[in-house]
Amino acid sequence: MTFRTLFLAVACHSYLSAQNLRFGVTGGTALTPDYSTYFVPGGTISLPDGGVVSFRPITTRSGSRTIIGGPTLGWSFNDRFSLESGAIYRRLNLEGQVPTVTWQFPILARYRLPIGSVVPFLEAGPSFRTTGNLNTQPSHTGFSAGTGFDFQTNGFRFSPTLRYTRWARDCDFGVQSKQDQLEILLGVSHAALSNRHPFGDRVALGVAGGFMLNTPARNISTPLFSRTYFRPWLVGPHFDVRLTDRWSVLAEANYRQVRFRETTDYTVTLPDGAARRIQGSFEGKSAVLWQFPVLLKYRFGNRSIQPFVEAGPSFRLPQELGAWLSNYAVTGGAGVRIRWRGLNFEPGLRFSHWGPAHYRNGTTAPNEVRRNQLDSILALTF
């Protein structure tokens, strides 16, 4: 084998391996209802004082179906086998109630049949989902299977897909999300420029994580109970788009939970005059938040260690916690970028000031959720 032949073989292999990674988006809608119909029969309750309380029957039905979609990521092992994943935003609707925001994360093995310009495929694998609020509490795990076909044009791959998911049963009593879900989707993807820098040399991909340094809400203390909030951790994908040698734009999707411990300690006097002390402790979460900072960043100097400052807006998915929380904030931060063996480590602090909470009629609501948020962040990119 000549040197030229060896060089061409290595170059061809490098080019083909660079095309293994694909990025894209998918969108569509559900063909099945979000919830099962739930019926509570009417009746009466007799009170200890002889009074009677009557209540009417209640029927709760699934609401209208919504558009679903989000970013996707695929890795092709060869012409037939690939691994597909994504983050699919979906709102589950009940008639007359606030929708439950969910993010679905399918991880699917896909088998393609390259028999022509239109390539049929089968897919299967586990699916996971988180909830952005707690209006209902759908289960978090399921199994998905689907079928569809690929066709390519102008460098893009289009993938119409019919996907079925069987979700685990919800834990709560009452309204239940539909376990059997059927979705029709259209995926659009493009091969990455390189596996190391999928969107080119100007775009750095990675992950950000950290902790909130102040508590997400003010602690509550009453004669009957007290509630103490924990400082939440946060994690999510990080994107940094370099505009010049010093200026860039970063975007993140930060997942965090609002968790608390509630302690009860009070005394009840029974009808016979005896006193009974009621004590208990409970830990839970009152919200799951997705926050999206989009910040302009300026780095000082061109060395391997670069201080930086950043500022811009932040956004938050709709969330009702005592009242509707604001969806917008002003965010600023500072830190230092450390480059080491092709990796970038960016520890820093970030402060966000959120707008006021509102009731459904639009009036400002007093709320224990803090509008000022201070986070300790570490981003890792390549």
Side-chain angles (χ1 to χ4, degrees):
M1 180 181 291
T2 66
F3 174 79
R4 181 179 179 183
T5 303
L6 178 62
F7 173 80
L8 291 175
V10 172
C12 182
H13 178 269
S14 298
Y15 173 78
L16 291 176
S17 65
Q19 307 306 309
N20 288 351
L21 188 64
R22 291 179 293 101
F23 285 84
V25 294
T26 189
T29 189
L31 300 179
T32 47
D34 296 338
Y35 293 93
S36 301
T37 300
Y38 180 67
F39 176 72
V40 178
T44 60
I45 297 177
S46 299
L47 303 178
D49 60 2
V52 176
V53 176
S54 300
F55 55 94
R56 298 178 179 179
I58 299 174
T59 300
T60 303
R61 297 182 176 86
S62 186
S64 59
R65 301 179 184 94
T66 59
I67 300 298
I68 62 178
T72 58
L73 175 67
W75 178 270
S76 298
F77 298 99
N78 51 44
D79 289 342
R80 294 179 180 270
F81 290 97
S82 65
L83 190 65
E84 310 288 331
S85 186
I88 299 176
Y89 173 79
R90 179 174 177 180
R91 297 180 7 161
L92 304 181
N93 286 328
L94 279 172
E95 283 186 349
Q97 298 191 30
V98 177
T100 297
V101 174
T102 70
W103 283 89
Q104 300 176 184
F105 303 93
I107 303 176
L108 308 176
R110 180 174 290 183
Y111 179 75
R112 305 168 72 239
L113 300 171
I115 57 178
S117 58
V118 176
V119 182
F121 64 79
L122 299 172
E123 61 180 19
S127 284
F128 308 92
R129 65 181 171 186
T130 64
T131 52
N133 52 23
L134 300 178
N135 299 318
T136 60
Q137 299 193 36
S139 61
H140 299 303
T141 58
F143 183 84
S144 296
T147 185
F149 59 90
D150 295 334
F151 65 93
Q152 300 195 54
T153 179
N154 296 325
F156 289 90
R157 178 186 292 182
F158 295 85
S159 305
T161 306
L162 187 66
R163 182 177 297 163
Y164 165 80
T165 302
R166 172 70 177 185
W167 293 102
R169 181 177 174 82
D170 298 352
C171 295
D172 283 2
F173 295 102
V175 177
Q176 298 280 311
S177 64
K178 195 79 171 176
Q179 288 185 264
D180 298 306
Q181 291 289 339
L182 188 63
E183 299 167 342
I184 185 167
L185 304 167
L186 174 63
V188 182
S189 61
H190 193 284
L193 298 177
S194 86
N195 289 334
R196 184 172 181 82
H197 297 284
F199 295 107
D201 292 337
R202 289 187 172 272
V203 180
L205 303 179
V207 63
F211 291 90
M212 188 172 174
L213 297 180
N214 57 334
T215 55
R218 297 176 181 85
N219 297 331
I220 301 173
S221 180
T222 73
L224 298 180
F225 73 95
S226 62
R227 175 177 290 187
T228 303
Y229 287 93
F230 300 104
R231 295 180 176 86
W233 51 265
L234 60 105
V235 68
H238 174 102
F239 303 87
D240 194 303
V241 181
R242 181 165 55 87
L243 306 177
T244 68
D245 288 341
R246 298 195 178 187
W247 291 96
S248 65
V249 175
L250 74 86
E252 292 176 354
N254 298 146
Y255 170 87
R256 66 185 78 203
Q257 296 182 357
V258 179
R259 301 192 65 86
F260 65 90
R261 177 186 292 116
E262 194 166 279
T263 302
T264 302
D265 189 355
Y266 59 92
T267 301
V268 175
T269 302
L270 303 178
D272 59 2
R276 180 181 178 186
R277 190 175 183 181
I278 306 297
Q279 291 180 303
S281 180
F282 169 76
E283 290 189 10
K285 61 182 178 182
S286 54
V288 174
L289 299 177
W290 280 94
Q291 298 176 3
F292 305 91
V294 181
L295 309 178
L296 184 64
K297 179 190 291 185
Y298 180 80
R299 291 187 292 270
F300 298 89
N302 295 307
R303 300 181 179 180
S304 58
I305 299 179
Q306 295 177 292
F308 66 81
V309 293
E310 59 190 18
S314 286
F315 307 93
R316 182 162 56 190
L317 292 182
Q319 179 67 251
E320 189 175 20
L321 189 60
W324 279 106
L325 301 184
S326 172
N327 300 129
Y328 310 100
V330 177
T331 298
V336 60
R337 181 186 188 188
I338 304 170
R339 286 181 285 185
W340 180 75
R341 295 188 177 182
L343 297 176
N344 299 313
F345 298 86
E346 298 186 3
L349 295 176
R350 186 178 296 164
F351 173 80
S352 297
H353 179 70
W354 294 91
H358 291 86
Y359 291 123
R360 295 191 182 186
N361 61 8
T363 60
T364 301
N367 197 273
E368 70 270 14
V369 177
R370 296 187 187 277
R371 295 175 58 186
N372 294 326
Q373 177 180 296
L374 182 61
D375 296 324
S376 174
I377 298 284
L378 174 61
L380 173 62
T381 62
F382 60 90

